[in-house]
Amino acid sequence: MDLKNFLAQLDAANEDDTERLLQQYNRENTQTFTFDQKEETLRIKLCERVLAVLGRQVQPPCQKTCLETLRILSRDKHVLAPVATRECMLILAGMARLRTGQEDGDDQENPQGYTQSQEEERVVVEALKCLCNVLYNSPAAQQVSVDVHLDRGLCANLRTARTWHHEVGLFTLRLLFLLSALRPDVRGVLRSKLNAVKLLTEVLEHTLSVNWVGPYEAACPGPEVLLLPTDRNERAMEALKALFNLTLSEARNEEDQHQFRLIAAILRHLLLLKTETEEKTEEAHSHAVNLLNNLPVSCLDVLFDVPVQGGVDNHGGKNMEAVQVLLDFMEGRIDKGSNYKEGLTPVLSLLTEGSRCHREIRRYIKAKVLPPLKDVKNRPEIGTTIRNKLVRLMTHVDMGVKQTAAEFLFVLCKESVDNLLKYTGYGNAAGLLAARGLLAGGRGDTQYSDDEDSDTEEYKSVKPFINPITGHIEEPMPNPIEEMTEEQKEYEAEKLANMFVKLSSNNVIRPMGVRPDGTLAPLEETLCDPPEENPDSDSD
C-alpha cells in the first residue's frame, strides 16, 4: 500500500469513506508486526489522523475500525508519540469505559450496568486492546496512565466483574497486569488505597466458581465442574498474573494474612481443576505455583488442612490432593528436560519451603520422593524414579537449578548430611555440602521434629558394602597393580607425584582439605588445624 497516497485519500474522506479506507488498511496489515522504518513519519501522521477521527462524535462502527487501525500501528513503539498524550489517553480510556480520575467507584453509576449493543462492546474491547499495546510499548504512555489515574478506573471496573463479557474482562485484567508490571510505584497504590488484591481475589472466586464451605475451605469440585472452560481459564490466568505483581511486597500486616489465606484456598481449588487441554491446565498450575511462592509460607497449611473427602487417602487426617498435584507438576517439568530455570525452580522452591515449615508436607513428600531404600545396586542418579531425576539435577550445569534441587532433597532429609548421603551419594551432594560448610557432616540450621525413618532390613544388610561416593554397591574391580613388581609400583607412584607437583605449581589444581568445621581450605592449612571431635549426628 502506498501510504502517502492513502493519507491523501483519508484527508479528503467523509466518515463513511474514512471507515472504508481504514478497513482496507486493516485487512492488509492485520498480520503485520514489523514495519518499514522509511515510512515511520507517514505512520505517525496516520496515527494523528485516526486520533482526530476518534476525537469526533462518530458512530460505533467507525470507532471500532479506527481503534483496529490504531491497535495495528501501536505495535510499532516508534510512532506512539501522538498517542502518549493526556488528551489521547483519556479518549482511549473513555472508549474503554474506564472512569479515570475518580477517587471511589462504589457510589458511581455502574460503567457496565447498562445494556450495550454488540457494536458498542466491540469498541470497548478494541479500546482496551489499544491501551494494552500502547502501555506496553510506550514509557511516556505509562506515565500519562499514572497521571490520569487509570488504576482507579480499572479497579472500579473490577467491581463489575460478574457482568463482564469474556473479552472485556480479559483485556481489563491484562491491562491491570501490564500497569502493575511496568510501574512498580503503582503497586502500593493498588494494594493499599484501591483494594486491588481483594478485588482480584473476588474476580478469581467468581471466575473459578468457588463455593465456600468453611473459613478457608472451598467445596471440592464435582465431576460436572472439573473441566474449566477456556474463556474462564484465560481470565483466571490474567487475574493470577496481576495478583502476582501485587503480592511481591514484603510489607504485610494481619489483615493481609486473612487475604493471603483466602488466595491460598482459591489456588488449592484451582489445582484440583482441569481445563480443556493439558497445556492450559499446566499453564494454570504454573501461575498458581508462582503466586503461592509470594504468599507467606505459614499460609500453605490451607493446601492440606481440609477434611479428607471420600476415596482420598488419609495421611494423618490431612488432605494431600493439592500437594500431590504440585508433585506431579514438578515431575512433569523435570520430564520436559528444558527451561528448568523458569519452569522448574519455582515449584521446587515452593515445595522446599513448604516442607521446611510444615511437617505434614515434608513427611508426605518424603514418602513419595525418598521412600526407604531397598535396592542400592544402581547409582542414585540412574533410573526413572523421581529420586533419580532429582539426583541428576544435583549436577546440572545451571547453578540455580543444581542448588534448588539439592536444597529440596536436603530439606526432605531434615537437613541431615548422613541421610542426604544415603539417598544421593557424596559425589552428587558435594556441591551443596561445600556451599553450606557441611563437608565434615552434621546438620543444617533448621530444627525439625524427632520422628524417625528407620532403614529397611535390605538396606542394613548391604550398608557396609555401599561406596559412599557413588551411593551404590560397586562390582569389585581388578587390582591394576597386583601383577606389578615393587620397582614398577615405585616408578608409577613417583610419576603420579611429579604430575601432581607440576599441576599444583602451575596453579592448574590446588590441593584442598576439609577443616574440622566442614569448610574447604588449602591442604596445608587443614594439616595444621588441630583435630576436633565430631558431634554425634542423629539419623532420620
Side-chain angles (χ1 to χ4, degrees):
M1 175 180 285
D2 183 351
L3 203 52
K4 190 172 183 179
N5 182 48
F6 179 80
L7 284 169
Q9 294 180 57
L10 201 60
D11 287 338
N14 57 26
E15 181 176 329
D16 291 339
D17 290 337
T18 296
E19 184 180 350
R20 177 181 54 79
L21 287 167
L22 292 179
Q23 284 175 347
Q24 179 187 351
Y25 179 87
N26 297 344
R27 284 194 299 270
E28 294 184 14
N29 294 277
T30 184
Q31 296 300 320
T32 300
F33 292 91
T34 56
F35 299 88
D36 187 352
Q37 190 175 358
K38 296 176 183 177
E39 294 184 333
E40 190 173 294
T41 303
L42 295 174
R43 287 197 303 279
I44 291 175
K45 290 181 179 179
L46 180 55
C47 271
E48 293 171 346
R49 303 292 195 280
V50 171
L51 288 167
V53 175
L54 288 173
R56 302 196 297 265
Q57 294 296 321
V58 294
Q59 294 300 307
C62 187
Q63 288 179 336
K64 171 180 168 292
T65 302
C66 289
L67 290 168
E68 288 175 346
T69 305
L70 191 60
R71 172 168 55 83
I72 293 170
L73 293 170
S74 64
R75 297 168 183 168
D76 181 3
K77 63 178 67 176
H78 302 293
V79 303
L80 292 178
V83 189
T85 64
R86 185 182 183 89
E87 180 185 2
C88 292
M89 291 296 287
L90 285 174
I91 289 174
L92 291 178
M95 291 185 170
R97 304 294 182 188
L98 297 175
R99 294 167 294 165
T100 57
Q102 292 182 189
E103 292 294 337
D104 189 0
D106 286 336
D107 57 354
Q108 304 293 330
E109 182 185 354
N110 188 333
Q112 306 295 339
Y114 57 87
T115 304
Q116 288 181 328
S117 68
Q118 190 172 3
E119 289 180 342
E120 289 174 328
E121 185 179 315
R122 291 312 307 171
V123 170
V124 173
V125 171
E126 285 298 328
L128 287 167
K129 288 180 179 180
C130 281
L131 283 170
C132 288
N133 278 8
V134 172
L135 207 67
Y136 180 74
N137 285 319
S138 172
Q142 295 164 21
Q143 182 59 53
V144 173
S145 298
V146 175
D147 295 340
V148 301
H149 302 296
L150 191 65
D151 51 354
R152 295 176 186 169
L154 288 167
C155 287
N157 276 15
L158 290 181
R159 296 183 176 93
T160 66
R162 292 180 182 275
T163 67
W164 282 345
H165 290 161
H166 170 57
E167 286 194 301
V168 173
L170 179 68
F171 290 103
T172 298
L173 292 167
R174 185 167 297 173
L175 186 57
L176 180 60
F177 160 70
L178 288 170
L179 183 62
S180 59
L182 297 169
R183 292 300 299 247
D185 54 318
V186 178
R187 294 175 196 162
V189 176
L190 287 166
R191 277 193 307 266
S192 59
K193 295 184 179 180
L194 300 175
N195 292 322
V197 173
K198 182 175 183 293
L199 292 171
L200 285 168
T201 305
E202 291 171 354
V203 169
L204 270 180
E205 284 184 50
H206 168 66
T207 305
L208 299 176
S209 301
V210 175
N211 178 26
W212 296 110
V213 294
Y216 304 111
E217 181 188 347
C220 182
E224 70 280 0
V225 293
L226 276 177
L227 275 181
L228 186 65
T230 299
D231 57 347
R232 286 177 174 263
N233 182 61
E234 289 177 348
R235 296 201 302 276
M237 296 309 96
E238 295 299 330
L240 288 173
K241 286 156 59 178
L243 272 172
F244 176 84
N245 291 338
L246 298 181
T247 53
L248 284 170
S249 172
E250 295 295 329
R252 291 163 179 169
N253 53 44
E254 291 184 5
E255 292 182 4
D256 290 336
Q257 290 292 324
H258 166 69
Q259 197 64 47
F260 290 150
R261 295 178 80 80
L262 275 180
I263 294 172
I266 293 172
L267 293 178
R268 181 186 185 278
H269 180 78
L270 175 60
L271 289 171
L272 300 181
L273 293 173
K274 294 185 182 297
T275 64
E276 294 175 351
T277 65
E278 289 186 10
E279 292 76 13
K280 290 295 182 182
T281 300
E282 183 182 352
E283 181 187 4
H285 291 174
S286 177
H287 287 302
V289 166
N290 291 338
L291 184 51
L292 282 168
N293 269 305
N294 280 1
L295 304 183
V297 69
S298 59
C299 296
L300 297 185
D301 63 335
V302 173
L303 294 181
F304 60 83
D305 199 10
V306 294
V308 177
Q309 306 294 329
V312 178
D313 291 338
N314 191 328
H315 299 275
K318 304 300 180 182
N319 191 325
M320 291 295 176
E321 283 181 290
V323 178
Q324 183 61 52
V325 171
L326 292 173
L327 269 177
D328 294 339
F329 175 80
M330 179 190 72
E331 187 169 10
R333 285 294 170 95
I334 294 175
D335 292 341
K336 274 195 169 182
S338 62
N339 196 24
Y340 282 151
K341 192 172 186 64
E342 295 180 5
L344 176 62
T345 54
V347 67
L348 274 177
S349 297
L350 174 65
L351 293 177
T352 300
E353 293 308 311
S355 299
R356 200 193 305 272
C357 183
H358 298 282
R359 175 172 176 262
E360 296 87 350
I361 293 179
R362 176 179 57 77
R363 294 190 69 182
Y364 179 81
I365 294 178
K366 184 175 181 182
K368 299 291 183 179
V369 176
L370 300 178
L373 282 176
K374 293 182 179 180
D375 183 7
V376 288
K377 294 181 180 179
N378 295 317
R379 288 173 176 262
E381 65 270 23
I382 296 176
T384 59
T385 68
I386 190 168
R387 173 177 77 106
N388 303 141
K389 297 171 184 179
L390 286 165
V391 172
R392 285 197 289 272
L393 291 178
M394 294 176 76
T395 54
H396 194 272
V397 65
D398 187 288
M399 187 63 70
V401 174
K402 176 168 67 175
Q403 291 175 342
T404 308
E407 186 75 14
F408 175 54
L409 292 174
F410 193 43
V411 168
L412 292 185
C413 294
K414 296 198 291 190
E415 299 189 24
S416 165
V417 172
D418 290 342
N419 277 341
L420 182 67
L421 297 183
K422 178 174 75 174
Y423 287 105
T424 68
Y426 198 91
N428 291 313
L432 171 75
L433 300 182
R436 298 285 293 265
L438 293 171
L439 285 168
R443 281 189 179 273
D445 298 329
T446 307
Q447 297 296 320
Y448 292 90
S449 58
D450 296 330
D451 55 307
E452 288 291 331
D453 172 70
S454 57
D455 294 330
T456 62
E457 292 300 324
E458 294 93 332
Y459 178 77
K460 289 178 180 178
S461 64
V462 298
K463 185 176 180 180
F465 309 105
I466 296 175
N467 184 332
I469 303 299
T470 61
H472 81 303
I473 299 175
E474 295 182 340
E475 295 293 332
M477 300 290 289
N479 188 347
I481 64 173
E482 189 173 357
E483 297 182 358
M484 286 186 181
T485 64
E486 292 300 320
E487 291 78 6
Q488 287 175 319
K489 293 177 184 178
E490 186 175 346
Y491 171 77
E492 291 295 337
E494 187 174 336
K495 180 180 175 183
L496 182 61
N498 289 335
M499 290 170 64
F500 274 114
V501 170
K502 185 176 180 180
L503 290 170
S504 180
S505 60
N506 292 333
N507 290 323
V508 176
I509 63 171
R510 187 178 188 186
M512 304 290 284
V514 181
R515 288 196 181 105
D517 63 0
T519 58
L520 284 174
L523 185 61
E524 58 270 16
E525 294 182 19
T526 60
L527 293 176
C528 297
D529 287 338
E532 294 183 6
E533 290 187 6
N534 206 13
D536 294 333
S537 61
D538 50 339
S539 62
D540 189 5

